[in-house]
Amino acid sequence: MAAQTLRTAGLVLALSAALVACGRGGDGDQPPERGDVAVARVDGRTVWTSDVKREAVAQGLIGEGEPLDPSSDLFRRVLDEVVDQKLLAAEALKRKLDKDPVAQRRLAAARDRILGDMLVEDVVADAVTENNIRGLYEEQQKLAKRSEEIRARQIVLATAADAEAVKKLLAAGASFEALAMERSRDAATRFNGGDLGYFTTDVMPEAYDTALKDAKVGQIVGPFAVETGFALVKVEDRRLEQPITLEAARPQIVRFLTYDRIRDLLEKLRGKAKIETLVKPQEGAPQAPPPADAPKAKGTPS
């Protein structure tokens, strides 16, 4: 549903832009962007590579800045849609639909949205730079608290007696991994030798936290009761929690910088403007929540 809505919005904006362009009397033959290539002409009006890419982005078919091969099937499909948009816009002008008052208001709204989007893109481009991304990442790494991680393996048995029997086999030199694969009843870990990977104890059930709190590397702890039986756990490593990499943090940082800059821009614009709201909200009506990716407080990405 969201993708369809986005695509519909993109088509409306594209048609509106096409109507405005038609009203100016043509698109001209000069490339609108450096290196742009003409890919079609519709009644003498040129369609450029950038027109097709912009439509593909509007439909969510590619991301902003991603390449789109002119020889690809996707490019041809979107090109056909751009051609259709120009034909529809031209026919609408012939029928003088652009003179209708409702159409004028819709065109004006589309123009406002396009210009607003262009301003946002311009402002965000200044904010979301590699230096700003790296700077915020390094700042957050300095403030981040790193917990201790444990890497461990486990064998889960049905009863305490079964667990004690396996513990004796381990003490006699049996392989922990082999016994985990052979006897553990924990389906999530038995087939990889009981490997739990690295974890912090706060994400594990309390029984693990208690048992592993003071365990040394190489030590086998247990058996202790867990939800599915009795566990034997071997501690294989302890280390400080590894920091998130820049590339993993990049999308969140970009969102934060984007929202932060747009919020500052809107606060300044609203501070200068005279805004009168002529409708009153209903009493007790819930307020719209902020976007999920929007930071709650300036200075820390959430």
Side-chain angles (χ1 to χ4, degrees):
M1 179 64 72
Q4 179 64 33
T5 301
L6 185 62
R7 181 176 183 278
T8 301
L11 288 170
V12 170
L13 289 177
L15 281 168
S16 301
L19 279 167
V20 173
C22 289
R24 289 197 301 262
D27 298 335
D29 286 325
Q30 295 302 315
E33 297 181 11
R34 187 176 180 180
D36 226 343
V37 177
V39 291
R41 284 191 175 84
V42 182
D43 292 334
R45 291 184 292 119
T46 304
V47 178
W48 301 92
T49 299
S50 60
D51 297 327
V52 180
K53 288 182 178 179
R54 186 168 55 248
E55 177 62 21
V57 171
Q59 293 189 29
L61 300 174
I62 62 172
E64 188 69 48
E66 287 184 17
L68 180 57
D69 185 354
S71 64
S72 67
D73 291 339
L74 176 60
F75 187 95
R76 294 289 306 178
R77 177 162 64 83
V78 179
L79 173 58
D80 285 341
E81 293 181 12
V82 172
V83 169
D84 289 344
Q85 290 166 7
K86 288 188 176 294
L87 291 172
L88 290 170
E91 181 63 23
L93 288 174
K94 287 180 182 178
R95 300 185 184 192
K96 301 186 183 300
L97 296 182
D98 59 315
K99 305 302 182 183
D100 184 273
V102 174
Q104 290 289 331
R105 292 181 63 82
R106 291 174 64 180
L107 286 169
R111 181 177 182 275
D112 287 347
R113 180 174 291 278
I114 291 169
L115 288 173
D117 288 347
M118 291 177 68
L119 174 61
V120 167
E121 289 170 8
D122 185 64
V123 170
V124 168
D126 290 336
V128 185
T129 64
E130 188 62 27
N131 284 341
N132 287 347
I133 292 172
R134 289 184 176 275
L136 186 54
Y137 171 77
E138 291 169 2
E139 179 184 336
Q140 293 305 309
Q141 290 310 302
K142 291 177 183 177
L143 297 174
K145 294 182 179 180
R146 296 167 63 188
S147 303
E148 186 180 47
E149 288 184 321
I150 298 174
R151 183 176 184 182
R153 294 180 184 271
Q154 71 172 359
I155 304 173
V156 180
L157 290 307
T159 66
D162 290 341
E164 290 292 351
V166 168
K167 191 171 184 178
K168 289 180 181 178
L169 293 175
L170 293 169
S175 165
F176 195 99
E177 295 93 323
L179 285 174
M181 294 183 70
E182 182 180 320
R183 301 200 181 187
S184 181
R185 62 194 314 225
D186 182 65
T189 60
R190 67 173 293 189
F191 295 110
N192 62 357
D195 192 3
L196 291 164
Y198 280 98
F199 58 89
T200 55
T201 55
D202 61 312
V203 303
M204 300 292 283
E206 186 177 353
Y208 288 85
D209 188 9
T210 302
L212 299 175
K213 185 175 182 180
D214 299 315
K216 304 293 189 291
V217 174
Q219 183 178 349
I220 296 175
V221 298
F224 56 89
V226 295
E227 185 177 348
T228 55
F230 290 83
L232 293 167
V233 178
K234 180 182 179 183
V235 178
E236 299 208 327
D237 190 22
R238 301 184 80 111
R239 70 181 186 186
L240 283 178
E241 187 176 11
Q242 298 299 292
I244 185 172
T245 65
L246 172 59
E247 288 312 306
R250 184 181 295 274
Q252 186 181 19
I253 292 174
V254 168
R255 287 194 296 268
F256 172 76
L257 291 172
T258 299
Y259 282 120
D260 190 55
R261 184 56 62 93
I262 293 172
R263 181 185 58 199
D264 285 349
L265 173 62
L266 286 172
E267 285 179 355
K268 290 177 182 177
L269 293 176
R270 282 179 170 269
K272 295 176 181 178
K274 181 181 180 181
I275 301 172
E276 297 179 77
T277 302
L278 305 180
V279 293
K280 302 296 183 183
Q282 294 180 357
E283 290 187 10
Q287 294 184 347
D293 291 324
K296 294 179 176 59
K298 187 173 181 180
T300 305
S302 56

